[in-house]
Amino acid sequence: MNARFYSFSARLFFRIAFGSMMMVHGVTKLDLWMAKGKQAEFFDFLGLGSMLSLLLAIFAEMVCPLLIIIGVKSRIFSIPPMIIMLVAAFWVHAEDPFAHKEKAILYLLGFLGIFLLGDGKYAMLPDYKRRGFWGFKKQTSAYSPKNRVLERV
């Protein structure tokens, strides 16, 4: 076993741990939406409306963590949970003591770690091999040293 194995295994554990904890956290919002529908009271973010804000929170706390767990573009799908946790910690709970902000800040730091580390090898669409920061395939130039054919003169 080498360092790469441990690095990829740690990334997998990190993705599963924070993704599953966030999904458990998002179940309450899903229950609120299923029970009350359009009459659900939720924090109105930037004047988008209570219902749209609730649906965006459900997407960020249920769909994005599921995609992070299976390893589909984890860097991209870690951005919505980070935004939701920033809003929760510093806007919704702005007047509350630190004990109420602590969970949102911990989730924020966990998804920031996923954003910085990426998928690793054990992912559905791994971004560790010949891929850019966002997990998309890098375009190689026709003039790169790997593609150059040496001709004898």
Side-chain angles (χ1 to χ4, degrees):
M1 306 240 189
N2 57 11
R4 288 178 58 99
F5 170 76
Y6 290 119
S7 172
F8 292 142
S9 299
R11 291 178 195 183
L12 174 66
F13 174 76
F14 206 55
R15 285 189 351 249
I16 291 172
F18 275 97
S20 59
M21 286 190 301
M22 180 61 92
M23 287 181 72
V24 170
H25 182 76
V27 166
T28 57
K29 291 175 183 63
L30 186 63
D31 286 341
L32 176 68
W33 180 63
M34 296 293 250
K36 296 197 177 182
K38 294 191 181 221
Q39 288 80 27
E41 292 290 327
F42 192 71
F43 181 74
D44 185 9
F45 177 63
L46 291 177
L48 295 174
S50 171
M51 190 64 185
L52 184 58
S53 296
L54 177 61
L55 291 175
L56 288 173
I58 290 171
F59 173 75
E61 293 182 6
M62 295 295 292
V63 176
C64 290
L66 179 65
L67 293 171
I68 289 171
I69 288 171
I70 60 176
V72 176
K73 305 288 185 224
S74 293
R75 286 189 166 131
I76 293 171
F77 287 112
S78 66
I79 294 172
M82 286 192 296
I83 292 170
I84 291 292
M85 292 299 110
L86 275 170
V87 169
F90 300 112
W91 201 333
V92 176
H93 298 291
E95 303 297 323
D96 295 343
F98 182 74
H100 292 292
K101 299 176 188 180
E102 183 178 10
K103 189 187 296 186
I105 293 171
L106 287 174
Y107 282 128
L108 171 67
L109 293 175
F111 283 101
L112 179 65
I114 291 170
F115 177 77
L116 294 174
L117 290 174
D119 289 328
K121 182 178 179 181
Y122 307 120
M124 188 171 281
L125 297 173
D127 63 353
Y128 77 99
K129 206 186 260 187
R130 293 188 332 150
R131 296 189 179 263
F133 182 79
W134 297 106
F136 295 107
K137 197 169 187 179
K138 285 184 181 177
Q139 296 296 323
T140 57
S141 170
Y143 301 106
S144 68
K146 289 182 180 179
N147 295 334
R148 186 172 44 186
V149 177
L150 298 175
E151 297 178 10
R152 291 189 178 187
V153 179

